[in-house]
């Protein structure tokens, strides 16, 4: 397998290659700006070369083969099907689709030989099916689909691997393994938390603070009674949240530590103090900083984490986790809900757990290295004359200092914009690093985040403070001099052509982003 630390995939002819070169890769090479635009606009010349993609957005090829076999045996002409890991998941998917496609009939089918479920319906329903797959994160992994095609059982040591992962996370978070719950993706963890909150406090709404990762907000918009979204957190916003909490309007407040992609962080101590008197749970996602750098449980009732990212590092397994704070006043209620949920709906495939356990053995060491590299690269970019602004948590960022562990860093992620936005395509094309979605990989990876995550809602994103030409960088384990040299070389370019404008822009809200994490 190609070593992406020393020999990154970045050339134009690498379009569509999996990152890393693995049949289970969670990212894909989009080496040029025009490829990103072509991907978002569905150009056949780009899509035909896609061998992989972020799995919630891009159905793995082996899954498509399994779908075809299900349709051949059970389907009818004009039907499509999508696979789900449990009866509960397929039932929720059917409800979601019928809420939007009520003129059609759907069929749920148990595939007894593979312990999977299929949702079958008219081909017109596939976009809605795909949206549920994406938002819920209740996906069928490529390893699980491969096993189903080959009629193989799950890994016999899967349960032991899950227990080891829970123990590893619990030790780092200083909680009991019984407080850790595993899911097949980070979004599945977020989705489960949101369902829990809706179950416990129906007819209430959530709050999202800071501009978050795209689908964390989508889940709150698409399910339940709605969300109050505050992309910029001010003193006035904090007081509005406190007022809503006092009025018993809220079932939970979501935020990230720090946020993706703008790397901001709400004042955790003050926010917690505002919510606690009213019993409103605080949910913090620590994916970017990780449990190595921050102690989100210092204030959070629940912590969500995408284990796909830094915990795994290799970029070839999808997973997520929920951690319940044993000091939360809701502890017993929250933990009991998850125990029942996973007893009936444990959908994290054992073979994926085995891979994740192996990948995460050096998790602390890797996080410290990538955090140091990110801080150094952020400092380099801040001093570069071509760079307008660097988004990276500073020492004085209140929310980070509230939860920072002794000696902790800020995580692997940074974003930046250029003095001349029209230079972004040329800089991106010339950057000799892996380019595609996802973050937390051992190798550095860059993407034009706003285009990938919000292509059909760029004006709305701009109103929220997210520039269209923003470049997001997940910093890996390379030698820092090598990294800064690669960026310096790309940033030295002048006189680029103006970026190709989008062909289609649709009003907010939209769910048509093609793939980012």
């Amino acid at each position: 397998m190609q070593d992406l630390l020393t020999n990154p995939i970045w050339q134009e002819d690498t379009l569509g290659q999996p990152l890393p070169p693995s049949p289970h890769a969670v990212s894909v090479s989009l080496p040029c700006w025009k490829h990103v635009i072509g991907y978002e606009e569905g150009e056949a010349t780009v899509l035909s070369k896609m061998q992989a993609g972020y799995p919630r957005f891009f159905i793995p090829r082996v899954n498509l083969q399994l779908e075809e076999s299900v349709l051949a045996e059970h389907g009818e002409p004009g039907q499509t099907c999508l696979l789900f890991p449990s009866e509960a998941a397929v039932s929720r998917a059917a409800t979601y689709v019928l809420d939007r496609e009520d003129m059609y009939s759907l069929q749920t089918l148990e595939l007894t030989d593979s312990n999977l479920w299929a949702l079958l319906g008219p081909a017109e329903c596939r976009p809605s099916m795909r949206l549920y797959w994406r938002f819920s994160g209740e996906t069928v992994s490529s390893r699980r689909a491969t096993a189903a095609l080959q009629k193989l059982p799950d890994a016999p040591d899967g349960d032991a691997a899950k227990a080891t992962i829970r123990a590893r996370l619990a030790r780092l978070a200083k909680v009991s393994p019984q407080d850790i719950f595993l899911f097949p993706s980070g979004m599945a963890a977020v989705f489960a938390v949101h369902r829990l909150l809706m179950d416990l406090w129906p007819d209430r709404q959530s709050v999202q603070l800071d501009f978050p990762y795209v689908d964390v907000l989508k889940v709150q918009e698409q399910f339940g009674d709605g969300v109050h979204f505050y992309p910029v957190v001010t003193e006035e916003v904090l007081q509005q949240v406190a007022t809503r909490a006092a009025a018993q309007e809220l079932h939970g407040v979501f935020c990230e530590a720090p946020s993706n992609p703008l790397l901001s962080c709400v004042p955790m101590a003050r926010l917690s103090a505002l919510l606690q008197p009213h019993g409103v749970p605080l949910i913090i996602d620590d994916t970017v900083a990780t449990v190595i750098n921050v102690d989100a449980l210092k204030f959070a009732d629940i912590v969500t984490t995408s284990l796909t990212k830094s915990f795994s590092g290799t970029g070839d397994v999808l997973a997520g986790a929920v951690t319940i704070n044993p000091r939360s006043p809701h502890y017993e209620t929250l933990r009991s809900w998850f125990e029942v949920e996973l007893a009936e709906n444990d959908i994290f495939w054992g073979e994926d757990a085995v891979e994740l356990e192996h990948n995460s053995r050096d998790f602390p060491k890797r996080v410290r290295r990538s955090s140091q590299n990110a801080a150094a690269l952020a400092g380099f970019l801040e001093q570069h004359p071509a760079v307008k602004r660097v988004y990276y948590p500073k020492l004085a960022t209140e929310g980070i200092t509230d939860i920072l562990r002794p000696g902790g860093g800020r995580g692997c992620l940074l974003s930046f914009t250029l003095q001349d936005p029209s230079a972004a395509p040329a800089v991106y094309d010339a950057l000799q690093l892996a380019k595609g979605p996802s973050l937390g990989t051992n190798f550095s990876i860059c993407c034009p985040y706003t285009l990938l995550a919000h292509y059909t809602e760029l004006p709305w994103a701009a109103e929220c403070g997210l520039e269209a030409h923003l470049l997001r960088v997940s910093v890996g384990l390379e030698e820092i001099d090598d990294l800064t040299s690669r960026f310096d070389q790309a940033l030295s370019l002048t006189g680029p052509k103006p970026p190709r404008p989008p062909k289609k822009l649709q009003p907010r809200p939209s769910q048509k982003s093609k793939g980012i994490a």
Side-chain angles (χ1 to χ4, degrees):
M1 182 181 293
Q2 182 172 339
D3 185 355
L4 299 184
L5 284 173
T6 58
N7 188 22
I9 293 173
W10 66 273
Q11 299 88 346
E12 183 170 355
D13 62 1
T14 67
L15 170 63
Q17 293 185 17
L19 295 174
S22 162
H24 308 295
V26 303
S27 188
V28 63
S29 179
L30 294 170
C32 297
W33 196 273
K34 65 182 181 182
H35 298 147
V36 175
I37 301 295
Y39 175 62
E40 288 296 329
E41 295 190 349
E43 293 182 2
T45 54
V46 173
L47 297 184
S48 64
K49 295 184 178 180
M50 303 296 288
Q51 301 174 36
Y54 199 79
R56 287 189 301 102
F57 297 82
F58 181 93
I59 306 294
R61 288 185 172 183
V62 66
N63 293 58
L64 296 177
Q65 294 174 29
L66 187 56
E67 288 178 13
E68 290 174 1
S69 69
V70 172
L71 286 171
E73 184 175 355
H74 304 284
E76 299 175 0
Q79 278 194 321
T80 188
C81 88
L82 197 58
L83 303 172
F84 291 90
S86 71
E87 183 177 10
V90 77
S91 177
R92 285 190 286 267
T95 299
Y96 178 86
V97 173
L98 290 174
D99 283 345
R100 289 150 182 79
E101 312 279 359
D102 60 359
M103 72 289 294
Y104 297 111
S105 61
L106 301 177
Q107 175 189 0
T108 60
L109 175 68
E110 183 179 11
L111 308 177
T112 55
D113 58 345
S114 61
N115 197 28
L116 291 174
W117 287 77
L119 181 61
L120 290 86
E124 293 84 353
C125 294
R126 188 167 180 83
S128 295
M129 293 181 184
R130 288 284 303 274
L131 283 178
Y132 181 85
W133 221 65
R134 167 188 157 182
F135 294 147
S136 72
E138 296 180 326
T139 61
V140 174
S141 74
S142 54
R143 288 184 180 87
R144 187 166 187 175
T146 300
L149 270 177
Q150 299 176 0
K151 301 189 183 305
L152 298 174
D154 197 0
D157 48 352
D159 287 342
K162 294 179 189 181
T164 300
I165 293 167
R166 294 178 73 184
R168 185 169 294 156
L169 289 168
R171 183 170 60 253
L172 294 169
K174 296 180 172 57
V175 297
S176 167
Q178 72 177 4
D179 302 328
I180 308 284
F181 301 91
L182 302 179
F183 294 85
S185 68
M187 276 311 303
V190 172
F191 183 58
V193 169
H194 191 257
R195 287 190 287 110
L196 172 151
L197 298 175
M198 291 191 297
D199 283 352
L200 297 181
W201 294 281
D203 304 321
R204 295 190 185 185
Q205 297 177 312
S206 62
V207 163
Q208 174 66 56
L209 296 177
D210 278 340
F211 195 95
Y213 166 66
V214 53
D215 282 349
V216 172
L217 181 59
K218 299 290 190 189
V219 162
Q220 297 171 75
E221 292 175 334
Q222 292 286 308
F223 302 91
D225 291 317
V227 55
H228 301 281
F229 174 41
Y230 301 99
V232 178
V233 178
T234 63
E235 291 296 330
E236 180 182 0
V237 165
L238 291 175
Q239 289 308 311
Q240 289 181 28
V241 173
T243 298
R244 294 186 185 279
Q248 300 295 300
E249 297 178 6
L250 306 178
H251 60 55
V253 174
F254 290 77
C255 60
E256 299 172 348
S259 66
N260 172 16
L262 295 180
L263 288 305
S264 58
C265 197
V266 303
M268 300 295 184
R270 286 192 290 153
L271 176 61
S272 177
L274 292 173
L275 298 178
Q276 281 188 350
H278 311 294
V280 176
L282 175 60
I283 302 92
I284 301 176
D285 190 289
D286 69 351
T287 297
V288 171
T290 80
V291 68
I292 302 300
N293 290 318
V294 299
D295 179 12
L297 289 175
K298 187 175 180 180
F299 299 108
D301 295 271
I302 304 172
V303 173
T304 58
T305 307
S306 173
L307 303 178
T308 309
K309 311 304 192 301
S310 296
F311 188 75
S312 174
T314 57
D316 65 351
V317 61
L318 213 62
V322 167
T323 303
I324 307 298
N325 191 339
R327 299 180 299 277
S328 168
H330 308 293
Y331 173 68
E332 291 296 341
T333 301
L334 299 176
R335 187 169 64 83
S336 296
W337 190 95
F338 277 104
E339 286 180 339
V340 172
E341 171 71 11
L342 266 68
E344 301 173 349
N345 197 34
D346 181 4
I347 55 177
F348 185 34
W349 187 239
E351 188 180 353
D352 291 314
V354 171
E355 186 71 20
L356 182 63
E357 188 281 317
H358 178 269
N359 294 349
S360 62
R361 292 175 184 175
D362 59 350
F363 170 53
K365 178 181 178 180
R366 289 186 289 100
V367 166
R368 294 187 183 103
R369 173 67 179 270
S370 62
S371 298
Q372 292 169 359
N373 278 353
L377 182 60
F380 168 81
L381 292 172
E382 283 182 325
Q383 300 301 315
H384 200 287
V387 175
K388 174 183 175 183
R389 179 173 179 180
V390 176
Y391 297 86
Y392 184 75
K394 303 299 181 185
L395 289 174
T397 303
E398 181 180 6
I400 283 290
T401 56
D402 284 346
I403 57 177
L404 198 67
R405 294 188 185 277
R410 271 66 178 171
C412 66
L413 201 66
L414 63 87
S415 300
F416 69 98
T417 56
L418 301 175
Q419 298 286 0
D420 178 9
S422 69
V427 169
Y428 179 79
D429 292 359
L431 183 60
Q432 296 184 24
L433 286 176
K435 287 169 279 187
S438 200
L439 62 93
T441 47
N442 297 335
F443 54 91
S444 294
I445 189 167
C446 178
C447 74
Y449 179 89
T450 313
L451 294 185
L452 277 175
H454 301 285
Y455 188 74
T456 60
E457 51 191 23
L458 293 177
W460 171 82
E463 291 174 0
C464 295
L466 198 62
E467 295 186 34
H469 295 87
L470 176 139
L471 295 174
R472 191 192 72 177
V473 184
S474 173
V475 184
L477 308 180
E478 298 90 347
E479 294 296 327
I480 188 59
D481 289 345
D482 181 36
L483 281 175
T484 54
S485 176
R486 291 174 187 269
F487 276 91
D488 191 41
Q489 181 181 7
L491 289 166
S492 68
L493 297 177
T494 58
K497 296 179 181 179
R500 174 182 167 187
K503 292 179 182 177
K504 312 170 197 172
L505 287 180
Q506 299 181 9
R508 171 76 180 169
S510 170
Q511 294 83 41
K512 295 189 178 181
S513 301
K514 293 288 184 65
I516 189 68

